[in-house]
Amino acid sequence: MDFILGHYNYWIVIFLMMVGFYTVISRGNLVKKIVGLNIFQVSVFLLYISLSTVDGGTTPIVKEGFDLYSNPLPHVLILTAIVVGVATTALGLALVVRIKEAYGTIEEDEIHEQDHSL
Amino acid sequence: MIDIFINITLLAFLAITAVAMVRMSNLFAIIMLFGIFSFLSAGLFVVMDAADVAFTEAAVGAGISTVLMLATLALTKDHKEKKPLGHRPWLPLAVVIITGAALVYGTIDIPAFGDAKAPPQLHVAPYYIEKSMPETGVPNMVTAVLASYRGFDTLGETAVIFTAGVAVLLLIGGRRSKQSDKKQDEGKDDEA
């Protein structure tokens, strides 16, 4: 039971990762692919924050009367990752808009058909 | 104890929302569910003592990402995902299950959730926890590390965001109105 409770977080994180991965590789709609990429991203955030948690610890802000804090370093890394993630999402969505203008569709197989590339 | 209960419930909600997103084909509903997904993860970050991350996820992940996706939907006017005809779900499913099984096998060695003696807690983190207040005078350790110890990291992050912003402007800025006029003209020709 302790083993399951101690690893439940990581298993759900892996499940979310695989759901995002599956969306990216199996769906042809470009907007849905980007949503899948975002699910994958959030699962990585959850992995890092899970690793930083300490039992009985508090938020890492110095205050009298508390001496056990969670690890602040993964929080910093994930703050950076969230903001960079939004920047890449914006770039991907801009590409989707351009593809729609050029091809008239955002379905991958229709784009391949127009290009005779598959 | 209540922490663990909330943690388990929110993670289960996250998993359910993610599966619902994959199964749906209405893009508007998918984007709304993505907003819910981001807020659930923000709540989870609060439970796991990462208040700063939760703020950022709620504002940037749930807010800006969702708005950007809705804007894309408005520009592309495609609200329904078409299922590809020659759709074979078993190949990606097999890839995903094998990868997932390998990753789960890897978690067996990971120290249990919340273990204070786990390797990530023993390396550089105690230094930040003990020294950040006397060295930088900022009570919030995350801010101290972000802006002081790892200031160059944050500078690099800013450069990445600037580059992405310039790229987005180059891709869809400027001649946008002219293009859409041409599109509408073409549409009228087709109808005629």
Side-chain angles (χ1 to χ4, degrees), chain A residues 53-96:
Chain A
T53 310
V54 175
D55 266 341
T58 64
T59 307
I61 297 173
V62 177
K63 181 96 170 72
E64 288 295 320
F66 295 97
D67 52 358
L68 189 61
Y69 299 106
S70 285
N71 190 343
L73 189 58
H75 298 187
V76 177
L77 300 177
I78 294 311
L79 274 184
T80 310
I82 289 175
V83 179
V84 169
V86 169
T88 52
T89 304
L91 188 59
L93 291 171
L95 280 169
V96 171

Side-chain angles (χ1 to χ4, degrees), chain A residues 2-3 5-23 25-29 31-32 34-35 38-39 42-43 45-47 49-62 67-91 93-98 100-107 109-110, chain B residues 4 7-8 11-12 14-15 18-19 21-25 27 30-31 34 37 41 44-45 48-53 56-57 60-61 64-65 68-69 72 75-76 78 80-85 87 89 92-93 95-96 99-100 103-104 107-108 110-116 120-121 124-125 128-129 133 139-142 145-146 150 153 157 160-161 164 167-168 171-172 175-176 179 183:
Chain A
D2 274 353
F3 182 78
L5 276 183
H7 290 75
Y8 174 78
N9 269 49
Y10 305 119
W11 294 336
I12 294 279
V13 161
I14 289 167
F15 178 76
L16 291 176
M17 229 177 240
M18 290 305 115
V19 168
F21 186 33
Y22 177 77
T23 317
I25 60 176
S26 77
R27 298 303 149 119
N29 187 295
V31 172
K32 199 160 180 187
I34 289 179
V35 171
N38 269 300
I39 298 176
V42 171
S43 77
F45 303 160
L46 286 171
L47 174 67
I49 301 298
S50 298
L51 286 171
S52 79
T53 310
V54 175
D55 266 341
T58 64
T59 307
I61 297 173
V62 177
D67 52 358
L68 189 61
Y69 299 106
S70 285
N71 190 343
L73 189 58
H75 298 187
V76 177
L77 300 177
I78 294 311
L79 274 184
T80 310
I82 289 175
V83 179
V84 169
V86 169
T88 52
T89 304
L91 188 59
L93 291 171
L95 280 169
V96 171
V97 171
R98 281 295 291 128
K100 171 75 179 179
E101 279 177 3
Y103 289 87
T105 177
I106 53 170
E107 297 288 334
D109 48 343
E110 289 172 9
Chain B
I4 291 180
N7 191 26
I8 288 173
L11 279 168
L14 270 180
V19 171
M21 270 192 275
V22 178
R23 294 183 56 85
M24 277 188 176
S25 63
L27 290 177
I30 291 174
I31 292 170
F34 178 72
F37 184 81
S41 64
L44 206 51
F45 292 144
M48 294 197 284
D49 300 333
D52 303 77
V53 183
T56 316
E57 177 66 30
V60 178
I64 297 178
S65 279
L68 284 174
M69 285 178 189
T72 311
L75 283 172
T76 58
D78 242 341
K80 204 87 181 150
E81 176 200 21
K82 295 183 201 93
K83 288 266 157 41
L85 286 173
H87 187 57
L93 206 60
V95 169
V96 161
T99 318
L103 288 174
V104 169
T107 60
I108 294 170
I110 293 187
F113 175 68
D115 186 357
Q121 264 66 270
V124 73
Y128 289 139
I129 290 172
M133 185 60 181
N140 187 337
M141 294 164 206
V142 176
V145 178
L146 186 80
R150 289 179 160 265
D153 248 18
E157 174 198 350
V160 169
I161 296 160
V168 169
L171 276 170
I172 60 172
R175 59 207 172 79
R176 153 140 299 282
Q179 281 262 337
K183 271 263 137 55

